[in-house]
């Protein structure tokens, strides 16, 4: 009986020490915190046009953002797009890109960056496994099949570099 009280007392001290340590780490500012992330394998690539494995997709999703993201309860919400409008015939989608969107080097992210990336992804020279995802965009299927040039993809910056029309 005496041993069990000593063990319980020791556990109580260890638990309170652990909790106190946790409490101290929560009071630190974000600038002083670190996150160490481990994966089961190395990244194959961070090229969004060439990723084919879960590990690389997971890592890229941690550091890059698209026009939309999934929010609570898997609801689609705006990410880089702050506004989207669709034409009456449903064939033209126009996206307003967030003004403060920047690359990791501090340069502004523009609609031209999306145009470049999407055209590169459907270009057969890139050999993207996921080029079929762009199938609904004008000329995408013909470009992927090598029948048209990637420059004919139905996407363009519109009105300014912060509007994208597809």
């Amino acid at each position: 009986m005496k041993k069990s009280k000593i063990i319980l007392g020791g556990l109580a001290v260890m638990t309170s020490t652990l909790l106190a340590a946790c409490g101290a780490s929560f009071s630190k500012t974000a600038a002083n915190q670190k996150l160490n992330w481990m994966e089961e394998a190395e990244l194959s690539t961070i090229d969004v046009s060439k990723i084919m494995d879960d590990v690389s997709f997971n890592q890229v999703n941690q550091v890059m953002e698209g026009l939309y993201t999934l929010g609570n309860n898997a609801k689609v919400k705006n990410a880089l797009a702050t506004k989207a409008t669709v034409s009456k015939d449903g064939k033209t989608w126009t996206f307003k890109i967030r003004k403060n969107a920047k690359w990791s080097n501090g340069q502004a992210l523009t609609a031209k960056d999306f145009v470049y990336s999407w055209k590169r992804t459907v270009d057969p020279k890139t050999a993207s496994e996921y080029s079929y995802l762009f199938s609904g965009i004008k000329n995408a299927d013909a470009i992927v099949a090598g029948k048209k040039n990637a420059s004919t993809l139905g996407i363009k910056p519109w009105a300014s570099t912060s509007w994208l029309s597809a």
Side-chain angles (χ1 to χ4, degrees):
M1 189 74 147
K2 200 170 194 179
K3 273 189 178 181
S4 65
K5 286 184 180 179
I6 292 171
I7 292 172
L8 286 174
L11 286 173
V13 169
M14 287 177 15
T15 302
S16 63
T17 303
L18 180 64
L19 291 175
C22 288
S25 70
F26 288 126
S27 65
K28 290 183 180 180
T29 62
N32 294 328
Q33 295 180 6
K34 286 185 181 179
L35 171 65
N36 292 314
W37 189 280
M38 294 179 67
E39 273 292 348
E40 59 207 39
E42 291 183 19
L43 296 171
S44 62
T45 183
I46 60 169
D47 183 335
V48 295
S49 295
K50 294 184 176 186
I51 292 175
M52 295 179 4
D53 61 287
D54 287 342
V55 172
S56 297
F57 271 120
N58 288 337
Q59 291 296 314
V60 167
N61 280 332
Q62 298 301 316
V63 296
M64 294 187 188
E65 196 169 42
L67 292 171
Y68 296 102
T69 190
L70 289 179
N72 293 337
N73 300 316
K75 301 258 186 204
V76 175
K77 67 177 195 171
N78 289 340
L80 290 173
T82 59
K83 179 182 178 184
T85 55
V86 182
S87 64
K88 288 182 182 180
D89 64 4
K91 292 183 178 183
T92 303
W93 291 58
T94 304
F95 302 92
K96 172 76 172 141
I97 299 172
R98 195 172 66 210
K99 287 181 183 180
N100 65 348
K102 296 189 184 311
W103 289 99
S104 60
N105 66 0
Q107 278 187 300
L109 179 71
T110 68
K112 290 177 184 176
D113 295 317
F114 283 92
V115 171
Y116 168 80
S117 179
W118 292 16
K119 285 180 178 180
R120 183 175 172 271
T121 298
V122 298
D123 191 329
K125 292 180 224 162
T126 304
S128 174
E129 292 285 325
Y130 291 99
S131 59
Y132 70 89
L133 294 173
F134 295 84
S135 184
I137 298 174
K138 182 180 178 182
N139 296 331
D141 293 335
I143 296 166
V144 171
K147 296 177 181 174
K148 288 195 173 193
N149 188 292
S151 64
T152 65
L153 184 67
I155 180 173
K156 62 184 176 186
W158 177 78
S160 73
T161 57
S162 65
W163 288 89
L164 175 69
S165 197

